[in-house]
Amino acid sequence: MRTKLDKVKLNNGVKIPSIGLGTWQIPDSEALVDSILSAIQLGYRYIDTAAIYENEPSVGEALKRSGVKRSEFFISSKCWAANRTYDSVMRAFEESLRNLKLDYLDCYLIHWPFTKGDPLAWQSVNIGTWRAFEKLYEEGLVKTIGLSNFQMHHLVSFLARANVKPAVNQLEFHPGYTQKSAVAFCKKNGIAVQAWSPLGHGTLLDEPIIKEVASHYDRSVAQLILRWCRHHDVIPVTRALTAEHQRENLNSFDFDLTAEDIAALDNMPLMGFSGLEPDHVSF
Ligand SMILES: NC(=O)c1ccc[n+]([C@@H]2O[C@H](COP(=O)([O-])OP(=O)(O)OC[C@H]3O[C@@H](n4cnc5c(N)ncnc54)[C@H](OP(=O)(O)O)[C@@H]3O)[C@@H](O)[C@H]2O)c1
């Protein structure tokens, strides 16, 4: 049976489903097509991919085979770090559209802030990349444009020069790694936050202290964490290959958390962290 999901209104009026299906580290394959088709059947409409995942063709194939109207979907992809000039963004975007067999995207993100090399250059490289995003947005080729992995110090200089305010910032966000200052800064500036790896890439599912909190509700750890994300107005993008996990995750929003349990999840010690810090990645 299909679950109908709430939607969140972004700062330009476009609506996004309140949970997304991630596709990181799933190879382009019939298995991925089948998995996305299963998710679509269950009610997922927001699919998150990226050029660097090299699986956009399978996402596009699943969308085509699903028979669901294009306008029902929210399809998001990301511009990889190697494509940070105006012309490269344009080429990369066209390639993503071609791979996805689409004529527009619902969302396009700068995958990582440019921070390598010259300590001053990164600010102008980020905004130069954004100028191409703004052009794609003005031309209606993408309905919303946004960022990923931008922390507060990246955002401050960026927002001062952006003509179009980013609609979203996709951050690693989960109990044990909450990036409080970046999340608060985004909220204050009307930028919706999406959580990547909300389940800590699966590593949080066996954490005894989170299991204990989940037991207060007779819910799974995955459901507890996804509900906690929504408590913070954060939109989780979770990967779930199997129909069982996909269904379970969709049914995470029909219970309330106590203030004590929210505080417990907010204040977990560092856990589940990917180790990816935007200023120290090698790309
Ligand atoms: N912007 C960025 O830089 C960035 C970086 C990383 C990721 N992302 C995006 O965020 C998405 C999510 O992150 P993620 O892939 O690291 O993982 P995640 O959602 O934190 O965890 C996925 C893992 O949890 C398992 N799982 C999911 N639901 C479950 C459930 N109900 N019960 C038990 N296990 C469950 C999955 O298993 P099965 O798959 O076997 O079901 C998978 O092993 C990515 O796929 C990608 O789209 C973005």
Side-chain angles (χ1 to χ4, degrees), residues 192-264:
V193 176
Q194 302 171 331
W196 65 255
S197 290
L199 310 178
H201 205 49
T203 62
L204 296 176
L205 298 168
D206 286 323
E207 277 293 339
I209 37 177
I210 307 187
K211 274 178 152 170
E212 208 275 317
V213 178
S215 73
H216 301 169
Y217 305 92
D218 196 20
R219 293 291 181 138
S220 71
V221 169
Q223 289 177 316
L224 174 77
I225 294 175
L226 297 173
R227 178 66 190 85
W228 168 84
C229 287
R230 292 302 301 132
H231 167 79
H232 284 293
D233 281 332
V234 170
I235 301 161
V237 179
T238 189
R239 193 194 98 177
L241 270 178
T242 66
E244 186 196 345
H245 291 165
Q246 292 167 351
R247 189 178 299 107
E248 184 176 307
N249 297 349
L250 278 184
N251 295 316
S252 300
F253 307 110
D254 59 347
F255 67 108
D256 290 323
L257 302 177
T258 65
E260 293 75 32
D261 288 337
I262 291 165

